[in-house]
Amino acid sequence: MASATPRIRFRDQQIEMAHGAGGKASRRLIEGLFAPILFDSPSEPLGDAAHLSIDGARIAITADSFVVSPLSFPGGSIGELAVNGTVNDLAVSGARAEALVVTFVLEAGLSTQVLEAEVSAMGRAARAAGVTIAGGDTKVVEHGKADSMYITTAGVGRPIPGLQCSARSARPGDAILLSGPIGDHGITILLARGELDLEADLRSDTRPVLEMVEAVARVAGTAVRWMRDPTRGGVATALNEFARDAGLGVYLFEDRIPVRDEVRGACELLGLDPLHIANEGQFLAVVARAQADAALDALQQSPGGSGARKIGEVREQPACAVLASTPYGGTRIVDMLVGDPLPRIC
Amino acid sequence: MASATPRIRFRDQQIEMAHGAGGKASRRLIEGLFAPILFDSPSEPLGDAAHLSIDGARIAITADSFVVSPLSFPGGSIGELAVNGTVNDLAVSGARAEALVVTFVLEAGLSTQVLEAEVSAMGRAARAAGVTIAGGDTKVVEHGKADSMYITTAGVGRPIPGLQCSARSARPGDAILLSGPIGDHGITILLARGELDLEADLRSDTRPVLEMVEAVARVAGTAVRWMRDPTRGGVATALNEFARDAGLGVYLFEDRIPVRDEVRGACELLGLDPLHIANEGQFLAVVARAQADAALDALQQSPGGSGARKIGEVREQPACAVLASTPYGGTRIVDMLVGDPLPRIC
């Protein structure tokens, strides 16, 4: 096991786009500024949702703001993202979303038609995910003080029976499962901006992952060590955080990671690594070796899970890092996302 | 009792500042657009927090976004407001805040010093209110796509024992209690903008009202019919909403409503009604006549409650409206806020 992680200090003089990208700069901001001031127990401030006890009942709570640009894109829109993102943060923390509260920051001049389309998208996504919208709040700022609209969704949920996730419970030999092809969301947003002379038949993967998580939970229970939805920062960042929190290494079989040709092509052209591209409808699970095949089977047979794969395993070394096998028989270190190549993808 | 309220339709072509002001336009947006699409039971969509049952336990949940400009002002700042606002929304819904989750939308270029000051203000306010900050999220948007920072706080709480508020339980003769002087927050923000050639020794009233609410709950229990913190739209808007929801009239003794000279003077100069000005540390309670004196006594004796007054009473008529006695012996109709004379005050 690795020694205690050194405390990060936030020394940047001002906030840059990279601080919102979910990679190294975000982690520095959270661990170096937010956590020491705000969180009583800074042990897992980067978890997707907090679990706490109210009146004898265990509940989970989370909140995310959504600032995606453009507002709508092939396969989804900010409203759908805002519901699914929060449902998924609860799901991978081991909880079923019960109720959401939503807040809007609207830019004066926003067309009612655009707003209504997004509110309708939220309503549809909430019904699809089986979650109630219990209330909300609306603020309006002057034209030029926002970009059409920003949405924040907070959610409460109840724990999924049988799960007890913690990166620290992981052991060498555990399998790393991925629910489907990566990079669809991030590359779709990039193409939807029209800044690149690129076209591809690609759609955002935004969807609730709750049913898939529950399928895994039913067969693997406490053998599920850890889950995460690899959104900003992608699979590489999520697994680096796992490796660090677990004090163990992650070994990826790179040729087993599902990536669509369109995503791979765009990444090659742009010099990006698909492992750093955001996803909105995928999740990673670390499952004890003995239950891994059953968990993968359950995942593949649940709706939307046919593309699930075992993409790697937990190893003793390299502690706190992620290694990937390359097509040429060698290995490479896979780092967290650095900088912000694709701003405002969620 | 009044007949059923006619359904409001939202016909505005685009969003204007008034839709975020908490008055008539906000109500039209919520009831005419958000509620029919998002809320299963649109009965009380304007309540400060939703109460629901998770795993056998009753919890309350709420969320608010904060976009106040300027970020800091005499007596407070956006970070403090963001904590107190959510604690207070829970309190007046009859719940004690247990945990908050906070999200930030930051404008690229924001100075770290400014951010750290607000995060520290949130930490202090949370400790003062006895609430934990359990997690959060940060997004960064390009320079010019926000105004320094917007904060959203969601909160969960547990019901305060003995309370069972509903506007529909109100009866003619019930007393209307107010916790202290009105208009301090709104006028402080207005002056802090420096656009007016006005100065006054005035501070925002931002504070948690939880202890005062609990003091009232202890002595009056189920005799507390309804509570609300009169933020955007002020006392006038909150009481109009109460009157409409109760199907009863509100009669205000205008000379008993505490208003500081500085607030009254600024309002006279600007042609504003103090009853329309936002407060951040006050609350209104409708209490059954028999328990009203005891409730007022408890309120006045709780910390920060010495300025509390009985400002009016519930009457049969005018149904669904608010009437105030004028200094000249007559009465006037007090309407909800129309338009947005003081944008972005919270």
Side-chain angles (χ1 to χ4, degrees), chain B residues 87-105:
Chain B
V87 168
N88 290 350
D89 277 351
L90 287 169
V92 296
S93 87
R96 170 177 267 276
E98 293 281 323
L100 304 181
V101 283
V102 301
T103 73
F104 297 84
V105 173

Side-chain angles (χ1 to χ4, degrees), chain A:
Chain A
M1 301 286 282
S3 60
T5 313
R7 166 69 193 284
I8 293 168
R9 296 203 47 183
F10 189 75
R11 295 180 187 279
D12 306 15
Q13 291 299 301
Q14 61 175 37
I15 299 301
E16 308 289 358
M17 296 304 290
H19 295 117
K24 278 196 172 170
S26 294
R27 190 158 185 132
R28 215 163 58 235
L29 173 62
I30 294 168
E31 297 196 349
L33 194 156
F34 288 119
I37 299 174
L38 292 184
F39 304 134
D40 283 344
S41 85
S43 54
E44 292 203 40
L46 287 167
D48 291 284
H51 284 235
L52 44 107
S53 178
I54 289 201
D55 211 11
R58 296 293 298 173
I59 66 158
I61 180 167
T62 191
D64 260 357
S65 288
F66 295 85
V67 301
V68 66
S69 169
L71 290 183
S72 69
F73 39 82
S77 67
I78 189 172
E80 197 176 346
L81 221 57
V83 169
N84 290 341
T86 294
V87 168
N88 289 351
D89 277 351
L90 287 168
V92 297
S93 87
R96 170 179 266 276
E98 294 280 325
L100 305 182
V101 284
V102 302
T103 74
F104 297 84
V105 173
L106 305 178
E107 182 186 15
L110 175 68
S111 107
T112 298
Q113 205 178 351
V114 170
L115 175 60
E116 189 160 9
E118 293 313 321
V119 175
S120 296
M122 297 185 82
R124 281 192 305 273
R127 281 187 293 276
V131 62
T132 301
I133 296 181
D137 176 50
T138 306
K139 295 292 192 309
V140 181
V141 296
E142 298 86 350
H143 185 68
K145 299 296 186 187
D147 195 1
S148 298
M149 74 173 87
Y150 302 139
I151 303 179
T152 301
T153 41
V156 284
R158 73 174 81 199
I160 296 168
L163 283 176
Q164 214 168 0
C165 298
S166 158
R168 294 194 190 97
S169 68
R171 296 289 172 266
D174 289 352
I176 294 161
L177 308 183
L178 170 66
S179 61
I182 63 170
D184 292 7
H185 178 74
I187 297 298
T188 297
I189 298 296
L190 191 69
L191 298 182
R193 287 192 191 145
E195 293 159 9
L196 299 167
D197 194 17
L198 266 180
E199 281 189 34
D201 185 19
L202 207 57
R203 299 164 64 82
S204 165
D205 61 354
T206 180
R207 59 175 178 173
V209 300
L210 178 62
E211 278 191 49
M212 288 188 285
V213 165
E214 287 181 323
V216 171
R218 271 193 300 274
V219 301
T222 56
V224 182
R225 316 290 204 184
W226 176 91
M227 289 185 290
R228 182 69 56 91
D229 55 336
T231 54
R232 284 178 294 172
V235 166
T237 301
L239 288 177
N240 268 282
E241 290 182 356
F242 162 75
R244 216 192 71 157
D245 293 346
L248 292 167
V250 165
Y251 189 89
L252 295 178
F253 314 121
E254 194 145 14
D255 56 350
R256 296 197 205 164
I257 300 174
V259 185
R260 291 185 209 279
D261 289 343
E262 294 84 350
V263 170
R264 197 180 298 281
C267 283
E268 274 170 16
L269 272 168
L270 298 165
L272 299 170
D273 185 340
L275 288 167
H276 284 139
I277 308 296
N279 313 279
E280 287 291 334
Q282 308 303 337
F283 75 103
L284 290 158
V286 173
V287 179
R289 182 169 15 196
Q291 283 80 15
D293 286 345
L296 180 59
D297 212 48
L299 190 46
Q300 287 175 332
Q301 273 165 42
S302 68
S306 63
R309 298 287 179 270
K310 178 184 165 184
I311 62 164
E313 62 189 30
V314 176
R315 294 185 177 177
E316 198 85 46
Q317 297 295 333
C320 304
V322 178
L323 212 59
S325 59
T326 66
Y328 317 105
T331 56
R332 65 178 180 112
I333 286 280
V334 177
D335 206 350
M336 292 176 79
L337 176 68
V338 175
D340 189 11
L342 301 176
R344 293 179 59 193
I345 44 78
C346 63

Side-chain angles (χ1 to χ4, degrees), chain B residues 245-261:
Chain B
D245 293 346
L248 292 167
V250 165
Y251 189 89
L252 296 177
F253 313 122
E254 193 145 16
D255 56 349
R256 297 197 205 161
I257 300 173
V259 184
R260 291 184 210 281
D261 290 343

